[in-house]
Structure formats: structure tokens, C-alpha cells
Amino acid sequence: MTKFDDLEVGQTWDDYTYDLTPEAVSAYRESVRLGGEDDSGDVPPMLLDTLYPVKKSLQLPEGTLHAQESVTFLGRPAVGERVSVSLVVKEKFVKKERKFVVITQDCRASDGRLLATAEKTFVWAE
């Protein structure tokens, strides 16, 4: 578990890498009722904004809330493409006795193209 006091602004972690496999795309499409099959070759954009990198890298304390998020999609990867996600602590602060952590998340294609960028705010529990 990552403690609030151990986080530093500018802190990074190893990139989280994953493949946009046909199975992952199909499973996502089914889970949000888009239908499992799609022959367009397009990846649903929200597959680029997963919380897995945050959960894996930061080991969130139980009770941490994902409070706010903004996402900008900048590119369209193809099914089968490998992407990597980088995380940075942008900000941390205490407001009304609650601890907040803001993480930026960039998702890049294997050729370095920036596909999506997000800013996620968490209410940190300890």
C-alpha cells in the first residue's frame, strides 16, 4: 500500500504496457453493450484510459476514491497494437482534512505517438 506521505510531486513509475488484443477489444465492447464483434479495426477510446496502471503501480489503499477525471483522446490505435502508460504525481494536497492526489496518465503507441492523456484525482484513504 502506498502512503500519502510517501508520494512526491513529479514521482514516476515504470511504464505499464499492454496489448490491444482482439479479445480485449471484443470483451470491452461486450461489457459496454457495443456488441462484441467489429470489423472496423477501431479500438474503443476508453480502452486507453484504464485504471490498471494506477492500481498496479501505486497499490492504492483500500477506501481510496477515484473522485474526478479528465481525458483527452489524441490518436486512434489499431487492434493488436501495443501501448504503454506513464504516470506522474502532478499534485498532492489536503483540503478539509481530506488527502488528495492528482495523477497524470499518458498513453502512447509503440511508435511513441501520444494517444491519450488523462488527469485523475483521488481522495486518498489511509
Side-chain angles (χ1 to χ4, degrees):
M1 173 182 80
T2 303
K3 295 185 180 288
F4 179 81
D5 291 338
D6 293 338
L7 294 169
E8 296 181 20
V9 172
Q11 183 174 350
T12 63
W13 292 264
D14 290 339
D15 286 357
Y16 177 85
T17 302
Y18 63 103
D19 295 317
L20 298 168
T21 64
E23 296 80 15
V25 171
S26 181
Y28 178 83
R29 292 180 61 78
E30 286 180 20
S31 73
V32 296
R33 296 191 169 102
L34 290 173
E37 297 302 320
D38 176 22
D39 60 3
S40 71
D42 287 339
V43 172
M46 290 306 291
L47 269 177
L48 302 176
D49 185 42
T50 178
L51 275 172
Y52 291 130
V54 173
K55 290 178 179 181
K56 181 171 175 43
S57 299
L58 275 77
Q59 300 171 355
L60 301 174
E62 188 172 332
T64 295
L65 299 175
H66 181 200
Q68 183 175 325
E69 179 168 7
S70 64
V71 184
T72 303
F73 297 103
L74 303 163
R76 304 276 322 225
V79 174
E81 194 161 0
R82 174 166 282 193
V83 296
S84 63
V85 177
S86 60
L87 304 172
V88 178
V89 176
K90 179 181 180 182
E91 186 178 2
K92 66 181 243 187
F93 58 93
V94 177
K95 182 177 178 181
K96 296 185 181 179
E97 299 181 26
R98 289 190 176 99
K99 299 172 182 175
F100 292 85
V101 177
V102 181
I103 303 288
T104 59
Q105 177 173 311
D106 288 344
C107 182
R108 293 186 180 277
S110 57
D111 65 5
R113 287 177 295 128
L114 184 60
L115 300 172
T117 186
E119 187 173 287
K120 302 173 187 299
T121 301
F122 297 91
V123 180
W124 211 258
E126 287 185 357

